[in-house]
Amino acid sequence: MGLPNASGDLSTEVEVDAFRRLFPLRLYEKHLLESIRPDARPLGRARETTIALGAVASANGSALAKIGSTTMLAAIKMEVMTPSLETPDEGCIAIDFHMPPICSPIVRPGRPDEAAPVVAKQLSDTILSSGMINLKELSLVSGKAAWMAYLDIYCLDVDGALFDTALLSVVAAFSYLEIPVPVVSLNDDGKIVLSEEQGLSDREPVNKEKRKINLSSIPFSLTCVLHKNYILADPTAEEESIMDTIVTVVLDSSSQLVSLHKPGGTVLAYTSAIQDCIALTRQRVKELQKILEEAISGMEVD
């Protein structure tokens, strides 16, 4: 008695899958009429999000962030450098975004993905414009020594919301970052030297203990896709590929607008649509703040 039903269910699944492959937009539009997606997710709801701090033991700060299936690993390595003449009292952050072939079948070996430099530039602009990090905190000795934070983000899996997940992993990594004690001292001439290499380990170091970096105006983002009169929050890769327009809104922890990115598209982003995207982002910021706070609290308990 069960075989005919099982066979019928299987054939139905095959038909739905075939229709989805041939006419993905028509399938979505049928669901949009009922304000729901094919995966039963409401239009304004983001996917399950998780953060794991301290994912890389050898890094000074690291975090693994997941939004749906999209997975990012951010790692920060601190090194002492000589600050530039233009900013003698500031450190520096160098950002590199990696998309290895393992993250997606569309990424080919031997050639960097086109999205990688775009995401890296977006991350750099967001970190600097939000004011999350005061670069003066990275200074050791004015004009002579400062910290260089090498930030590497590795994309391990891609299913939409590339920038959102990357930014979340970066924010989490900096939240976990512990600035190490530098092995540098001032010699008799007032110059910065590596204490251990110069045999000056008996001299007092510039920085005596590890410390956390103060973060303010922490940025969070939400990507939405616009299709006709519909707005879908936190789109999958499939939704991004078939919908008309993508809009990414970045707000800080005080709900102040940091940036808005719209890379082309056929649908005009009207004022009402932008306002709706910002409203959805405000809700999302509260969710992400709570997830980050729980991850930090969990590490403190451990």
Side-chain angles (χ1 to χ4, degrees), residues 181-187 193 195 200-208:
V181 177
V183 288
V184 295
S185 301
L186 292 173
N187 65 10
V193 294
S195 301
L200 299 175
S201 56
D202 57 327
R203 291 184 180 273
E204 188 171 337
V206 174
N207 202 31
K208 296 182 180 180

PDB file of all heavy atoms in Angstrom, residues 181-187 193 195 200-208:
ATOM      1  N   VAL A 181      51.769  41.229  23.744  1.00  0.00           N
ATOM      2  CA  VAL A 181      52.839  42.055  24.284  1.00  0.00           C
ATOM      3  C   VAL A 181      53.957  42.098  23.242  1.00  0.00           C
ATOM      4  O   VAL A 181      54.519  41.065  22.896  1.00  0.00           O
ATOM      5  CB  VAL A 181      53.377  41.480  25.604  1.00  0.00           C
ATOM      6  CG1 VAL A 181      54.537  42.324  26.106  1.00  0.00           C
ATOM      7  CG2 VAL A 181      52.268  41.414  26.646  1.00  0.00           C
ATOM      8  N   PRO A 182      54.289  43.267  22.700  1.00  0.00           N
ATOM      9  CA  PRO A 182      55.338  43.326  21.689  1.00  0.00           C
ATOM     10  C   PRO A 182      56.722  43.144  22.289  1.00  0.00           C
ATOM     11  O   PRO A 182      56.993  43.611  23.400  1.00  0.00           O
ATOM     12  CB  PRO A 182      55.180  44.737  21.113  1.00  0.00           C
ATOM     13  CG  PRO A 182      54.618  45.538  22.246  1.00  0.00           C
ATOM     14  CD  PRO A 182      53.737  44.595  23.011  1.00  0.00           C
ATOM     15  N   VAL A 183      57.588  42.473  21.567  1.00  0.00           N
ATOM     16  CA  VAL A 183      58.962  42.272  22.046  1.00  0.00           C
ATOM     17  C   VAL A 183      59.827  43.418  21.524  1.00  0.00           C
ATOM     18  O   VAL A 183      60.860  43.203  20.900  1.00  0.00           O
ATOM     19  CB  VAL A 183      59.513  40.902  21.600  1.00  0.00           C
ATOM     20  CG1 VAL A 183      58.858  39.792  22.368  1.00  0.00           C
ATOM     21  CG2 VAL A 183      59.326  40.707  20.094  1.00  0.00           C
ATOM     22  N   VAL A 184      59.397  44.631  21.782  1.00  0.00           N
ATOM     23  CA  VAL A 184      60.162  45.795  21.348  1.00  0.00           C
ATOM     24  C   VAL A 184      60.414  46.709  22.536  1.00  0.00           C
ATOM     25  O   VAL A 184      59.616  46.777  23.476  1.00  0.00           O
ATOM     26  CB  VAL A 184      59.430  46.577  20.236  1.00  0.00           C
ATOM     27  CG1 VAL A 184      59.292  45.754  18.981  1.00  0.00           C
ATOM     28  CG2 VAL A 184      58.074  47.060  20.708  1.00  0.00           C
ATOM     29  N   SER A 185      61.534  47.406  22.493  1.00  0.00           N
ATOM     30  CA  SER A 185      61.908  48.364  23.527  1.00  0.00           C
ATOM     31  C   SER A 185      62.614  49.533  22.869  1.00  0.00           C
ATOM     32  O   SER A 185      62.952  49.492  21.677  1.00  0.00           O
ATOM     33  CB  SER A 185      62.844  47.712  24.560  1.00  0.00           C
ATOM     34  OG  SER A 185      62.233  46.610  25.180  1.00  0.00           O
ATOM     35  N   LEU A 186      62.844  50.568  23.655  1.00  0.00           N
ATOM     36  CA  LEU A 186      63.623  51.707  23.180  1.00  0.00           C
ATOM     37  C   LEU A 186      65.072  51.523  23.612  1.00  0.00           C
ATOM     38  O   LEU A 186      65.362  51.269  24.789  1.00  0.00           O
ATOM     39  CB  LEU A 186      63.062  53.003  23.764  1.00  0.00           C
ATOM     40  CG  LEU A 186      61.671  53.432  23.281  1.00  0.00           C
ATOM     41  CD1 LEU A 186      61.191  54.649  24.077  1.00  0.00           C
ATOM     42  CD2 LEU A 186      61.700  53.762  21.805  1.00  0.00           C
ATOM     43  N   ASN A 187      66.015  51.654  22.666  1.00  0.00           N
ATOM     44  CA  ASN A 187      67.424  51.546  23.031  1.00  0.00           C
ATOM     45  C   ASN A 187      67.944  52.883  23.546  1.00  0.00           C
ATOM     46  O   ASN A 187      67.179  53.838  23.718  1.00  0.00           O
ATOM     47  CB  ASN A 187      68.260  51.037  21.852  1.00  0.00           C
ATOM     48  CG  ASN A 187      68.269  52.013  20.683  1.00  0.00           C
ATOM     49  OD1 ASN A 187      67.809  53.150  20.807  1.00  0.00           O
ATOM     50  ND2 ASN A 187      68.807  51.579  19.557  1.00  0.00           N
ATOM     51  N   VAL A 193      63.772  48.729  18.993  1.00  0.00           N
ATOM     52  CA  VAL A 193      64.535  47.524  18.685  1.00  0.00           C
ATOM     53  C   VAL A 193      63.752  46.317  19.158  1.00  0.00           C
ATOM     54  O   VAL A 193      62.930  46.401  20.072  1.00  0.00           O
ATOM     55  CB  VAL A 193      65.935  47.533  19.352  1.00  0.00           C
ATOM     56  CG1 VAL A 193      66.804  48.630  18.780  1.00  0.00           C
ATOM     57  CG2 VAL A 193      65.795  47.673  20.870  1.00  0.00           C
ATOM     58  N   SER A 195      63.637  43.454  21.368  1.00  0.00           N
ATOM     59  CA  SER A 195      64.362  43.222  22.622  1.00  0.00           C
ATOM     60  C   SER A 195      65.145  41.924  22.618  1.00  0.00           C
ATOM     61  O   SER A 195      66.316  41.886  22.968  1.00  0.00           O
ATOM     62  CB  SER A 195      63.370  43.220  23.789  1.00  0.00           C
ATOM     63  OG  SER A 195      62.689  44.449  23.849  1.00  0.00           O
ATOM     64  N   LEU A 200      68.309  42.741  24.548  1.00  0.00           N
ATOM     65  CA  LEU A 200      67.843  43.775  25.468  1.00  0.00           C
ATOM     66  C   LEU A 200      66.609  43.323  26.221  1.00  0.00           C
ATOM     67  O   LEU A 200      65.738  44.104  26.539  1.00  0.00           O
ATOM     68  CB  LEU A 200      67.531  45.057  24.690  1.00  0.00           C
ATOM     69  CG  LEU A 200      68.708  45.685  23.934  1.00  0.00           C
ATOM     70  CD1 LEU A 200      68.219  46.872  23.108  1.00  0.00           C
ATOM     71  CD2 LEU A 200      69.798  46.133  24.895  1.00  0.00           C
ATOM     72  N   SER A 201      66.514  42.020  26.488  1.00  0.00           N
ATOM     73  CA  SER A 201      65.324  41.482  27.135  1.00  0.00           C
ATOM     74  C   SER A 201      65.147  42.019  28.549  1.00  0.00           C
ATOM     75  O   SER A 201      64.081  41.913  29.137  1.00  0.00           O
ATOM     76  CB  SER A 201      65.396  39.952  27.168  1.00  0.00           C
ATOM     77  OG  SER A 201      66.590  39.534  27.802  1.00  0.00           O
ATOM     78  N   ASP A 202      66.245  42.625  29.112  1.00  0.00           N
ATOM     79  CA  ASP A 202      66.128  43.169  30.456  1.00  0.00           C
ATOM     80  C   ASP A 202      65.506  44.561  30.453  1.00  0.00           C
ATOM     81  O   ASP A 202      65.113  45.090  31.475  1.00  0.00           O
ATOM     82  CB  ASP A 202      67.510  43.241  31.114  1.00  0.00           C
ATOM     83  CG  ASP A 202      68.494  44.075  30.289  1.00  0.00           C
ATOM     84  OD1 ASP A 202      68.378  44.062  29.047  1.00  0.00           O
ATOM     85  OD2 ASP A 202      69.362  44.736  30.906  1.00  0.00           O
ATOM     86  N   ARG A 203      65.379  45.158  29.257  1.00  0.00           N
ATOM     87  CA  ARG A 203      64.770  46.475  29.170  1.00  0.00           C
ATOM     88  C   ARG A 203      63.248  46.373  29.302  1.00  0.00           C
ATOM     89  O   ARG A 203      62.661  45.361  28.970  1.00  0.00           O
ATOM     90  CB  ARG A 203      65.120  47.155  27.844  1.00  0.00           C
ATOM     91  CG  ARG A 203      66.586  47.544  27.732  1.00  0.00           C
ATOM     92  CD  ARG A 203      66.847  48.294  26.431  1.00  0.00           C
ATOM     93  NE  ARG A 203      68.241  48.674  26.302  1.00  0.00           N
ATOM     94  CZ  ARG A 203      68.759  49.793  26.784  1.00  0.00           C
ATOM     95  NH1 ARG A 203      67.972  50.646  27.430  1.00  0.00           N
ATOM     96  NH2 ARG A 203      70.032  50.073  26.632  1.00  0.00           N
ATOM     97  N   GLU A 204      62.646  47.450  29.750  1.00  0.00           N
ATOM     98  CA  GLU A 204      61.197  47.468  29.939  1.00  0.00           C
ATOM     99  C   GLU A 204      60.509  47.544  28.578  1.00  0.00           C
ATOM    100  O   GLU A 204      60.811  48.416  27.769  1.00  0.00           O
ATOM    101  CB  GLU A 204      60.807  48.686  30.784  1.00  0.00           C
ATOM    102  CG  GLU A 204      59.353  48.676  31.190  1.00  0.00           C
ATOM    103  CD  GLU A 204      59.050  49.772  32.187  1.00  0.00           C
ATOM    104  OE1 GLU A 204      59.968  50.230  32.878  1.00  0.00           O
ATOM    105  OE2 GLU A 204      57.874  50.168  32.253  1.00  0.00           O
ATOM    106  N   PRO A 205      59.589  46.622  28.296  1.00  0.00           N
ATOM    107  CA  PRO A 205      58.907  46.646  26.999  1.00  0.00           C
ATOM    108  C   PRO A 205      57.971  47.849  26.874  1.00  0.00           C
ATOM    109  O   PRO A 205      57.556  48.436  27.874  1.00  0.00           O
ATOM    110  CB  PRO A 205      58.119  45.334  26.986  1.00  0.00           C
ATOM    111  CG  PRO A 205      57.891  45.031  28.425  1.00  0.00           C
ATOM    112  CD  PRO A 205      59.123  45.526  29.136  1.00  0.00           C
ATOM    113  N   VAL A 206      57.644  48.196  25.631  1.00  0.00           N
ATOM    114  CA  VAL A 206      56.759  49.323  25.380  1.00  0.00           C
ATOM    115  C   VAL A 206      55.359  49.046  25.913  1.00  0.00           C
ATOM    116  O   VAL A 206      54.719  49.902  26.505  1.00  0.00           O
ATOM    117  CB  VAL A 206      56.709  49.616  23.861  1.00  0.00           C
ATOM    118  CG1 VAL A 206      55.670  50.686  23.557  1.00  0.00           C
ATOM    119  CG2 VAL A 206      58.078  50.059  23.362  1.00  0.00           C
ATOM    120  N   ASN A 207      54.888  47.837  25.710  1.00  0.00           N
ATOM    121  CA  ASN A 207      53.549  47.444  26.149  1.00  0.00           C
ATOM    122  C   ASN A 207      53.704  46.267  27.105  1.00  0.00           C
ATOM    123  O   ASN A 207      54.297  45.256  26.752  1.00  0.00           O
ATOM    124  CB  ASN A 207      52.701  47.049  24.941  1.00  0.00           C
ATOM    125  CG  ASN A 207      51.230  47.163  25.232  1.00  0.00           C
ATOM    126  OD1 ASN A 207      50.815  48.007  26.014  1.00  0.00           O
ATOM    127  ND2 ASN A 207      50.430  46.316  24.608  1.00  0.00           N
ATOM    128  N   LYS A 208      53.197  46.373  28.319  1.00  0.00           N
ATOM    129  CA  LYS A 208      53.519  45.397  29.349  1.00  0.00           C
ATOM    130  C   LYS A 208      52.601  44.190  29.388  1.00  0.00           C
ATOM    131  O   LYS A 208      52.972  43.151  29.916  1.00  0.00           O
ATOM    132  CB  LYS A 208      53.497  46.084  30.724  1.00  0.00           C
ATOM    133  CG  LYS A 208      54.568  47.156  30.878  1.00  0.00           C
ATOM    134  CD  LYS A 208      54.533  47.760  32.261  1.00  0.00           C
ATOM    135  CE  LYS A 208      55.589  48.836  32.419  1.00  0.00           C
ATOM    136  NZ  LYS A 208      55.569  49.437  33.778  1.00  0.00           N
TER     137      LYS A 208
END
